[in-house]
Amino acid sequence: MRLLDLSGPEWTVTFPDRTNPALIAVVKQAGGRWHSTRRSWQIPPSGQAATVLAELAAAHGFDVIGGDLDEMTGGRQSLAAMSTALDFDLTGLLAGVSPEVAEIAARLKPHQRVGVAYALTASRALIADAMGLGKTPTALVALAIADQWPAVIAVPRTLVSNWCVEATRWLPVGTRIYAVLAPSTPVEDAMRLRHRGVGVHLGVPRPVGQVYVVPYSMLADTAVALARFDPAAVVFDESQVVKTPLREWVCAICLHPAPGDRCTGPAAHRVTGDRRIHTYSTKVVRAAKHLAAGVVERDGLVFALSGTPNKNRPTDLIAQLDILGQLDQFGGRESFVHRYAAGIDPDAATRSRRRTGTNLIELNTRLKATCMVRRRTADVLPGIGLERHQLLVDLHPDDEQRYQEARADVAAFLAARARQVAEEEGLEPGTEALRARMRAEAGLHLVRLGPLLGVGARAKVPMAVDWVREFLDQTDRKVVVFAHHRAVVKALAAELGCERIDGDTGDSMPIVDRFQNNPNVRVVVVGIMAGGVGLTLTAASDMLFLEQAWTPADLDQCEGRCFGRVNDAHSATATYMLAAGTEDERVAAMLDRKRAEFHAVADGAVAEDAGEVAADLLDALL
């Protein structure tokens, strides 16, 4: 007899043919784990699991006891179908809204209408459309239709101005929009926002606005004050910023760490009983969780926006799903790790050799049926694509010698460390066990790899400058040059006589405006980490990468600045300048493998076994 029992704290699935691969695959998709003592499959209750089990019962003749699956599925099936749609009729959602809001919604692209409908249906949604497809208008119009205020929008520091300007475009006239900025903000930056009709609060926000745009750098200091405004909605742009899954006990009153019976805050509150919260150790993640928790309790809207929500591994999603109030739909944190991150310990200071996720296609399916809407550039803009090229260059003999000396220093350090580990743990030199132990502490040695790659990057600056000058002489197009190390960014900008966007840039919008609209401004240098999100640089369809990042998602973000935009649709070319005979080539190959895992979770593609880039590189240097 095939039976679904929904009466217990966990749902039970039993069937006589226990080795039936088709049934096992479906039960695992629902989050099921085999319980050897009970001789049955145990499934944590969730709306997504109910959807999968309803299909299982109908297709394979299961008897259902202890509950009604039709009631439990709710709107999950419609969410799953909506997640792949490219258009949606918003007529029903627009009933009762003001004519101005209806007019704003009419300006949306078809796929953005789907995003709005999905976000409002799910209430707590991850909008994961690819870069350039308009996640910002999607979120803002959803807020306008819901008419739930006040709303808090947390963004990277460099995107505050961009979000404020977009809010004035996609929200009704008269909406009170405020930017919450650090007290040290230059006067000209604050005045520029005020001239655009945006209010400015320096330091502590005041309860006078409908929309508060807050940089993540200010979120920890303002989250408590903002929570007192009882926000009805909160939006986290580039939500991969709040990915850190490490947790700790904190004081429920002031949110300071509370390792003992008193918190470490200035008031030293007692934290016994209900004054103690198990939350995240990173201040930004903790503040985001605190702010979103109140919105979830009031059945408000919580949106996370990211084209790369799982930049490194599936566990990057844990904190984002928790902040959205959706982690329970996946059976909780431990169940998520067990099912989709086997071999990965998100709380470990060092990690095991196996860094890839498991059951990633299933995870993609569950995300779309629960809270994630994602469309790729190829889905929305067929024929628009990106070409990647590698340009191998030979270093000058003097630069080559300096590079090899730096490489030998890193290799010598790693060899000495390997001998030390072998002696401390009784491992044989050259064995797989020792190699795995060294890979596990790869993150501790990144500080030594950075200077090594920096030596090669600085040596490529003259060749990059020559490439850009030749490009400008031979074409009438614009180009964006990306680099990673701040010294390299500054050197490139100085040699090319152009502006740069990096960690030292305050408001990047004037630089972007000049590059986009001034025909005489044909080149800009951008830092991969500081300028790889939220910028629109579509005046260029050509990019030169002098350096690479540790994760392919960071590079994809940079590439997305120049192509695949619905409002300026064109293809693009990315040229990666690699120094022959250096680690540049090895890192490029590793990044290609690592890119496959991201697409497995986000897009449902088949993943290869992608190891951690830094660990692989250290492995090669041993």
Side-chain angles (χ1 to χ4, degrees):
M1 179 180 180
R2 296 179 174 179
L3 182 66
L4 301 180
D5 186 350
L6 310 178
S7 59
E10 286 194 318
W11 296 340
T12 301
V13 182
T14 56
F15 44 93
D17 44 343
R18 293 198 303 269
T19 60
N20 187 316
L23 297 181
I24 291 174
V26 176
V27 173
K28 285 184 176 181
Q29 183 180 344
R33 299 191 303 271
W34 174 253
H35 197 293
S36 57
T37 303
R38 300 174 186 172
R39 311 298 292 173
S40 62
W41 292 89
Q42 303 296 306
I43 300 176
S46 71
Q48 193 276 340
T51 299
V52 174
L53 294 178
E55 297 173 355
L56 175 73
H60 297 281
F62 277 75
D63 292 330
V64 181
I65 62 173
D68 189 337
L69 282 174
D70 292 334
E71 293 182 2
M72 295 176 181
T73 54
R76 299 296 170 182
Q77 290 175 318
S78 62
L79 284 178
M82 200 184 302
S83 67
T84 59
L86 296 178
D87 198 358
F88 192 90
D89 185 358
L90 292 178
T91 302
L93 290 173
L94 294 176
V97 304
S98 68
E100 185 180 7
V101 171
E103 183 179 346
I104 291 173
R107 290 161 30 202
L108 292 170
K109 303 293 183 182
H111 73 280
Q112 292 171 333
R113 292 197 289 265
V114 178
V116 169
Y118 188 103
L120 292 176
T121 301
S123 296
R124 303 187 298 278
L126 171 58
I127 304 174
D129 288 338
M131 287 81 75
L133 297 186
K135 296 184 288 292
T136 300
T138 298
L140 289 171
V141 174
L143 294 178
I145 293 175
D147 195 26
Q148 295 197 36
W149 315 108
V152 177
I153 303 176
V155 305
R157 180 180 59 83
T158 56
L159 302 184
V160 171
S161 295
N162 181 71
W163 265 91
C164 290
V165 171
E166 290 295 296
T168 62
R169 292 181 55 210
W170 292 98
L171 294 178
V173 175
T175 302
R176 300 186 302 279
I177 303 166
Y178 285 84
V180 182
L181 304 177
S184 59
T185 300
V187 174
E188 54 270 24
D189 290 350
M191 292 302 298
R192 190 180 298 112
L193 288 171
R194 290 191 176 104
H195 288 157
R196 289 170 171 166
V198 176
V200 175
H201 287 165
L202 297 178
V204 180
R206 299 183 297 276
V208 294
Q210 291 172 282
V211 176
Y212 297 88
V213 181
V214 187
Y216 283 115
S217 57
M218 292 283 294
L219 194 61
D221 295 329
T222 59
V224 173
L226 290 168
R228 293 196 186 105
F229 302 167
D230 291 334
V234 61
V235 178
F236 298 98
D237 188 29
E238 302 298 342
S239 60
Q240 72 273 7
V241 171
V242 294
K243 68 182 181 180
T244 308
L246 301 177
R247 302 183 300 170
E248 68 177 6
W249 289 105
V250 299
C251 174
I253 301 173
C254 64
L255 298 185
H256 281 85
D261 61 353
R262 288 188 179 274
C263 72
T264 58
H269 296 116
R270 292 188 62 83
V271 292
T272 55
D274 59 359
R275 293 193 174 187
R276 190 155 130 156
I277 303 174
H278 201 189
T279 186
Y280 296 95
S281 59
T282 304
K283 287 184 178 179
V284 172
V285 186
R286 185 162 66 234
K289 172 66 176 175
H290 175 71
L291 190 60
V295 180
V296 171
E297 289 178 3
R298 292 186 291 273
D299 292 326
L301 302 176
V302 183
F303 300 150
L305 280 58
S306 175
T308 54
N310 56 299
K311 286 180 61 174
N312 289 298
R313 54 190 66 86
T315 50
D316 290 348
L317 289 163
I318 291 175
Q320 296 173 72
L321 291 172
D322 192 15
I323 289 169
L324 288 171
Q326 297 282 15
L327 189 56
D328 288 344
Q329 298 291 335
F330 295 81
R333 178 182 178 280
E334 283 69 27
S335 178
F336 185 99
V337 172
H338 175 82
R339 185 68 186 153
Y340 304 116
I344 302 175
D345 181 3
D347 280 349
T350 59
R351 307 186 191 281
S352 61
R353 177 167 186 170
R354 181 175 174 81
R355 302 293 294 268
T356 59
T358 51
N359 304 305
L360 299 184
I361 306 300
E362 173 193 314
L363 176 58
N364 171 263
T365 301
R366 295 186 68 179
L367 284 168
K368 289 182 176 180
T370 304
C371 60
M372 185 181 79
V373 57
R374 175 175 171 83
R375 273 68 51 85
R376 301 171 300 172
T377 301
D379 298 330
V380 177
L381 302 171
I384 300 299
L386 173 76
E387 291 186 16
R388 294 189 182 99
H389 301 294
Q390 292 183 355
L391 175 63
L392 281 178
V393 296
D394 295 317
L395 298 181
H396 186 277
D398 292 341
D399 293 326
E400 173 70 21
Q401 181 178 352
R402 281 191 289 270
Y403 181 86
Q404 293 303 332
E405 289 172 354
R407 190 181 191 279
D409 288 343
V410 175
F413 166 80
L414 292 174
R417 176 58 183 161
R419 289 192 296 271
Q420 181 184 2
V421 171
E423 293 175 1
E424 291 175 351
E425 303 193 10
L427 300 174
E428 291 294 326
T431 60
E432 184 62 28
L434 177 58
R435 189 174 295 274
R437 176 63 179 79
M438 289 296 294
R439 288 178 62 91
E441 61 178 38
L444 302 177
H445 306 312
L446 279 177
V447 67
R448 296 184 176 271
L449 288 177
L452 171 63
L453 299 179
V455 169
R458 287 188 291 273
K460 290 185 290 182
V461 168
M463 289 174 278
V465 171
D466 290 342
W467 186 95
V468 171
R469 288 174 176 167
E470 183 177 357
F471 175 89
L472 296 176
D473 288 341
Q474 295 183 1
T475 73
D476 59 357
R477 303 196 301 272
K478 299 190 177 191
V479 63
V480 180
V481 183
F482 288 99
H484 182 60
H485 288 85
R486 191 169 299 184
V488 176
V489 173
K490 292 180 178 179
L492 284 168
E495 289 290 330
L496 293 169
C498 67
E499 294 185 287
R500 58 183 168 84
I501 299 173
D502 60 13
D504 294 331
T505 305
D507 186 359
S508 60
M509 286 299 294
I511 300 175
V512 172
D513 289 341
R514 285 189 286 272
F515 183 78
Q516 288 288 93
N517 302 313
N518 189 336
N520 297 320
V521 179
R522 298 180 58 198
V523 59
V524 64
V525 180
V526 180
I528 289 175
M529 303 307 296
V533 295
L535 302 180
T536 298
L537 300 170
T538 51
S541 57
D542 296 274
M543 294 164 277
L544 175 67
F545 284 82
L546 188 65
E547 298 182 87
Q548 302 172 95
W550 287 118
T551 64
D554 289 327
L555 298 177
D556 293 348
Q557 287 271 21
C558 292
E559 293 167 350
R561 303 308 101 208
C562 298
F563 92 106
R565 301 276 164 159
V566 292
N567 295 322
D568 190 2
H570 60 73
S571 297
T573 301
T575 300
Y576 286 81
M577 182 176 284
L578 309 178
T582 71
E583 264 50 55
D584 273 2
E585 295 181 87
R586 184 174 287 111
V587 169
M590 294 171 185
L591 287 169
D592 285 341
R593 294 198 302 270
K594 199 166 169 34
R595 186 175 275 111
E597 180 171 304
F598 161 73
H599 289 293
V601 176
D603 300 323
V606 177
E608 300 174 10
D609 184 17
E612 177 70 19
V613 173
D616 285 350
L617 182 53
L618 285 165
D619 199 6
L621 289 171
L622 278 173

